[in-house]
Amino acid sequence: MLADITIQILMIYALTGIFAGLIGGMLGLGGGIIIVPVLHYIFTQQGFEPSVVMHQAVTTSLATIIVTSVFATYEHHRKKMVSWFLVNQIVPGVFLGACFGVFVADSVSSSALRIIFGCFEVLVAIQIWFGLKPKPMFTEFFSSCTQKKETHTKLPGKGIFVFTGAIIGLFSTMLGIGGGTLTVPFLLWFNYHMRSAIAISSACSIPIALVATITFIFVSWDNSNIFTHSIGYLYWPAALIIVTMTIFFAPIGARIAHYLPIDTLKRIFAVLLLFVGIKMLD
């Protein structure tokens, strides 16, 4: 076992943030899909209680996503890529799903969360490798609308957005991710441009991560199994270091993306995710 907090551990946290930032910037993927499995491994090595190690990894990952999503959304907003009308349609469901997701996650074992996450990683790896995307619907509406006109009649009813937001919030909370892996395909289905879908997803990730993190802390405040230096399930030393590195290196990853073969990088990353997902299922 590694000691409580050592230089080695701090370096691993920093490298995790660097890698998550670079990959997120290059491929447009959220950091949670990288951060959670790394934290699960290192927390286990640090001697975290096995019954809550996955809960602490998920909560710590969500805490980092709050900050990174705020920065990402601000940049997307500056470029006028965020449709706040759609964000407002989705967010009520996201709040409900995130709250419910915390109580579901807290009620299941750490090993069950690990298996769920492992299955998710494998599915994402397959999706990235084959470039699977939903076929767009409502082409006539969205192809003829500007951002300012994206309203009302031909959009699905608000109930559909609330229900979808609840599903996204539920699974994103249980997995410790921002929700882009789920939100972006949903928006592409409505023929939204990829850049706009990513921008809207970033905005929706803020309430998911914020509500989930706060609720996770609340339900675990008196848990005697949580590791030292933790606020509930949130292990703040890891969150602080990772989010600092992610914020710094995500823009670098975005710039690097213009000079590297992205399709090849996606294939390599898909293989890595597949390996990690299988390891999580062990």
Side-chain angles (χ1 to χ4, degrees):
M1 292 288 182
L2 296 173
D4 181 4
I5 299 181
T6 65
I7 296 298
Q8 181 184 2
I9 290 172
L10 295 178
M11 288 297 296
I12 293 174
Y13 291 151
L15 289 172
T16 300
I18 291 170
F19 185 64
L22 290 175
I23 292 296
M26 287 189 289
L27 304 182
L29 296 170
I33 202 169
I34 300 165
I35 294 169
V36 171
V38 173
L39 289 182
H40 176 269
Y41 172 77
I42 193 62
F43 284 175
T44 300
Q45 300 304 308
Q46 282 184 256
F48 280 43
E49 170 61 40
S51 64
V52 296
V53 64
M54 193 65 185
H55 298 81
Q56 294 214 240
V58 164
T59 305
T60 303
S61 172
L62 287 165
T64 69
I65 290 169
I66 297 172
V67 182
T68 55
S69 294
V70 168
F71 275 84
T73 302
Y74 174 72
E75 289 300 319
H76 289 308
H77 176 71
R78 287 180 56 205
K79 297 175 182 176
K80 303 185 185 301
M81 297 300 294
V82 182
S83 172
W84 291 107
F85 171 77
L86 278 187
V87 172
N88 291 335
Q89 295 292 300
I90 298 171
V91 162
V94 161
F95 274 107
L96 295 174
C99 289
F100 186 61
V102 168
F103 290 101
V104 172
D106 192 51
S107 66
V108 302
S109 67
S110 182
S111 59
L113 278 181
R114 175 175 52 79
I115 292 171
I116 293 171
F117 190 90
C119 292
F120 174 75
E121 291 261 281
V122 171
L123 291 175
V124 172
I126 294 171
Q127 184 270 325
I128 293 174
W129 180 271
F130 291 103
L132 302 176
K133 296 178 183 178
K135 293 183 178 180
M137 302 284 285
F138 305 100
T139 305
E140 176 186 349
F141 175 73
F142 282 111
S143 63
S144 62
C145 290
T146 65
Q147 291 240 336
K148 293 183 179 179
K149 296 179 182 178
E150 281 167 8
T151 55
H152 326 317
T153 56
K154 291 192 179 181
L155 283 171
K158 188 170 183 178
I160 297 295
F161 282 111
V162 172
F163 176 75
T164 304
I167 297 298
I168 292 170
L170 169 66
F171 284 101
S172 297
T173 298
M174 293 181 65
L175 296 167
I177 61 176
T181 310
L182 303 173
T183 308
V184 170
F186 170 69
L187 294 172
L188 291 179
W189 188 57
F190 288 100
N191 205 39
Y192 242 76
H193 189 274
M194 175 62 82
R195 292 186 183 275
S196 295
I198 292 173
I200 294 166
S201 172
S202 294
C204 291
S205 294
I206 299 172
I208 292 174
L210 183 62
V211 171
T213 300
I214 293 173
T215 310
F216 264 126
I217 292 173
F218 175 77
V219 301
S220 60
W221 189 261
D222 296 325
N223 193 317
S224 60
N225 292 321
I226 57 176
F227 201 65
T228 183
H229 306 304
S230 298
I231 305 172
Y233 285 143
L234 171 60
Y235 187 63
W236 66 263
L240 181 62
I241 295 171
I242 290 172
V243 76
T244 301
M245 295 296 102
T246 302
I247 290 171
F248 182 76
F249 281 91
I252 296 175
R255 289 194 289 270
I256 292 174
H258 294 287
Y259 304 100
L260 295 177
I262 295 302
D263 288 341
T264 301
L265 286 174
K266 285 185 176 181
R267 292 289 182 92
I268 295 171
F269 188 62
V271 173
L272 176 61
L273 283 185
L274 182 63
F275 172 77
V276 172
I278 292 173
K279 290 293 291 182
M280 293 287 281
L281 292 172
D282 284 347

